[in-house]
Amino acid sequence: MYSLIIVDDEYISRNGLRQIIDWQSLGFSVKGIFEDGKDAMEYLKGNPVDVILTDIRMANVSGLDLAQYVKEHCPDVEVVFMSAYREFEYAQSAIRLNVFNYVIKPIAVSEITHVFNSLFKKLESFRQQTQKNDHYMALLKELKQEIFIGVSMGAINSEEEMSKRIKKIDKHMELEGTPCGLINMTLDEKTVERFLNEIWIYGVDTMSTALSNFLNFEENQLEYYVLSQMKTKTELFAISKGVMEESVFKDLLKRETHKASNNIKSFLGLDVKFTTPVCYSNAYRYLRAVNEEQIQEIEPISNKESFDESLFKNQENMLFTYLMSGETNLCRTLFMKMLRRLDGLGIQGIRNYFVSLMIKLDEQNLLPDNYKVSVVHSTIDYSQLFDLTSIDDFYHWGLVLFDQISTDYLHSDEEGVNLLHKATINKAKGYINEHVYSDISLNEVADYVHLSPVYFSRLFKEVEGMNYINYIVAARIKKSQELLKNPSLKIYEISEMVGYQNVRYFYKIYKNFTGETPTQYRKKCR
């Protein structure tokens, strides 16, 4: 169902159009009626719309002005003009403003039916074409995944913020009537190690992707998003693709995870277990549950002697991600959640944690010069921390620091590439090149630069023009070509030295990438 608004300064006309036309049978739902273009513009600022049916002549803001606004701010919205005048000037304007059609008043039901049947076909064709675009769909899933991760950590903590972010990338996604739930997928550690070392030749990243793909078949009625992932445990967020009862959702979740478990066993030989899910009637209830848990159920860390920083790894990575992406408000919210958890450490324990945080910021070239004793030697000035004597002091100190980072570092070069983003990816590339011989995962490299895996993957492609996996392959091929020039090394030895334990797979990757085999390249180098 496509959303429609009607704009006409004549009360009888706009209400008549709403009531007389069977919009639902045409595939449209009237979301609002307005008597002036100005009111419609205000509505568009906060609400997704597919089509606007508007009169041209109105008292304040005309239909022409409204169409111009749509062209500049909402280019994917279709506009249909109405007018009592057959003026050539209006027809020209309609063409210039990419208006879909132009109907003359008084409007016949048959004419509206004809125009909106054609428009429905156009919208459907566009939607299907878009859905077939693999890149778009992958990006859409990544963006939704980031939102649900933000919700799970408490950074996105209001229904309004969650809805705004979802509607910005997918205005057709419903949150109110779509049940959701949390579920863990676990594997036996010894079995996974054996599988990776003896059977699976494609690396840990592709194994994780393969396992997730077993849940994301197109015919499934639920979508699954990875919230956190380790080698043997994956925390998943499941949500229905459409409106349904919670009981139906629970039954589908049980059936789809059972099916995935059987398929993984059949195709990969791995025993996968899914925990009993925690379900919610809709995404908003899940958000509220997270907020309540953050406030009531998570106890503060109370061991002042030792502090396990790994507990904060995911939160820290998201904190850095929000800093790097300019999401200042989410950064502030998540930072407060982290401080609440640290409260039990006492002031000295919190101070110790902030020392480690400053070190990590400096490692990422994020720490401003006024937080250093020596800029030349990059010596950090920790003395500022001793003036902080309460949680509020640390919170406000952190906000000032984060605001300065946002102001000082998020600039672009002449080519429009953010300098900090480029430096971060260069650091990641250095790590990849140093560890090209091992089965390095996306999570491992993202951890190294203190970013969430989802954001790091997208940032890598944005800066480098190729995805992370292709860069890994290119780095390994380049290293292998250096080694192939040494005649004393066997090709199977070179294969292992560049991270491929299976020499047949190495041959296949090498030929796909270069167009020739390692043996052919070696002969050329003699």
Side-chain angles (χ1 to χ4, degrees), residues 37 56 80 84 118 189 208 211 238 264 292 313 327 373 463:
I56 291 181
V80 177
S118 299
E189 188 170 353
S208 300
L211 291 175
I264 291 169
E292 291 167 7
K313 184 185 71 171
E327 293 275 14
V373 175
V463 173

Side-chain angles (χ1 to χ4, degrees), residues 14-173:
R14 63 178 180 269
N15 279 280
L17 282 167
R18 181 178 199 171
Q19 296 171 12
I20 295 172
I21 307 298
D22 184 1
W23 293 108
Q24 191 168 357
S25 68
L26 295 173
F28 296 87
S29 173
V30 179
K31 298 298 184 182
I33 56 174
F34 305 94
E35 63 178 338
D36 192 79
K38 182 180 180 180
D39 298 327
M41 287 180 186
E42 287 300 316
Y43 182 84
L44 288 170
K45 290 177 182 177
N47 299 278
V49 171
D50 295 308
V51 181
I52 300 172
L53 175 60
T54 178
D55 193 10
I56 291 181
R57 288 189 177 183
M58 290 180 287
N60 295 316
V61 176
S62 71
L64 294 173
D65 294 330
L66 176 58
Q68 182 66 46
Y69 175 88
V70 167
K71 184 178 180 181
E72 293 173 2
H73 297 90
C74 321
D76 58 336
V77 175
E78 296 287 349
V79 177
V80 177
F81 274 163
M82 303 180 287
S83 178
Y85 306 91
R86 289 184 178 274
E87 295 183 16
F88 181 70
E89 175 188 344
Y90 287 162
Q92 279 188 315
S93 297
I95 294 170
R96 176 175 57 82
L97 295 169
N98 298 324
V99 170
F100 176 76
N101 214 319
Y102 184 117
V103 293
I104 304 298
K105 292 182 175 180
I107 299 171
V109 173
S110 59
E111 186 174 12
I112 281 287
T113 302
H114 173 74
V115 168
F116 277 82
N117 273 333
S118 299
L119 182 51
F120 180 83
K121 290 176 182 177
K122 178 184 177 180
L123 291 170
E124 279 294 278
S125 176
F126 177 77
R127 178 189 276 192
Q128 290 168 10
Q129 181 181 355
T130 302
Q131 289 176 341
K132 290 177 183 177
N133 187 318
D134 291 340
H135 173 71
Y136 170 81
M137 294 305 292
L139 178 61
L140 186 65
K141 190 169 181 66
E142 283 182 7
L143 293 172
K144 288 181 184 178
Q145 184 180 0
E146 278 191 345
I147 292 171
F148 294 132
I149 290 172
V151 172
S152 73
M153 291 187 176
I156 298 173
N157 63 353
S158 74
E159 294 180 17
E160 182 182 4
E161 183 69 21
M162 183 185 188
S163 177
K164 181 180 76 174
R165 288 175 178 273
I166 287 290
K167 294 301 182 184
K168 188 174 181 180
I169 59 174
D170 185 359
K171 62 185 180 182
H172 297 289
M173 184 173 185

Side-chain angles (χ1 to χ4, degrees), residues 319-326 360-368 401-402 404-413 416-428 449-451 455-456 459-460 462-464:
L319 190 72
F320 279 64
T321 294
Y322 291 144
L323 273 175
M324 293 275 285
S325 58
K360 290 170 185 174
L361 286 167
D362 192 44
E363 289 173 349
Q364 285 300 100
N365 300 311
L366 279 169
L367 195 67
L401 171 59
F402 298 151
Q404 186 174 344
I405 290 170
S406 297
T407 302
D408 293 353
Y409 292 92
L410 300 181
H411 302 297
S412 302
D413 61 15
V417 178
N418 183 287
L419 299 174
L420 180 59
H421 293 176
K422 184 183 288 187
T424 300
I425 296 306
N426 284 339
K427 183 178 179 181
V449 292
H450 306 299
L451 294 175
Y455 179 74
F456 169 73
L459 184 65
F460 194 98
E462 180 183 310
V463 173
E464 285 300 301

Side-chain angles (χ1 to χ4, degrees), residues 307-338:
F307 170 57
D308 183 3
E309 292 186 22
S310 65
L311 291 170
F312 276 83
K313 184 185 71 171
N314 290 339
Q315 287 89 341
E316 280 181 350
N317 287 351
M318 283 307 298
L319 190 72
F320 279 64
T321 294
Y322 291 144
L323 273 175
M324 293 275 285
S325 58
E327 293 275 14
T328 308
N329 289 337
L330 296 189
C331 181
R332 286 167 177 254
T333 306
L334 182 58
F335 182 55
M336 176 53 81
K337 301 289 185 187
M338 294 170 67

Side-chain angles (χ1 to χ4, degrees), residues 220-222 224 240 244-258:
N220 282 2
Q221 296 183 55
L222 311 182
Y224 299 84
S240 64
M244 64 177 63
E245 295 294 326
E246 187 178 352
S247 59
V248 177
F249 170 81
K250 288 179 178 179
D251 183 58
L252 281 169
L253 184 57
K254 183 178 180 180
R255 284 194 278 124
E256 290 185 2
T257 52
H258 180 70

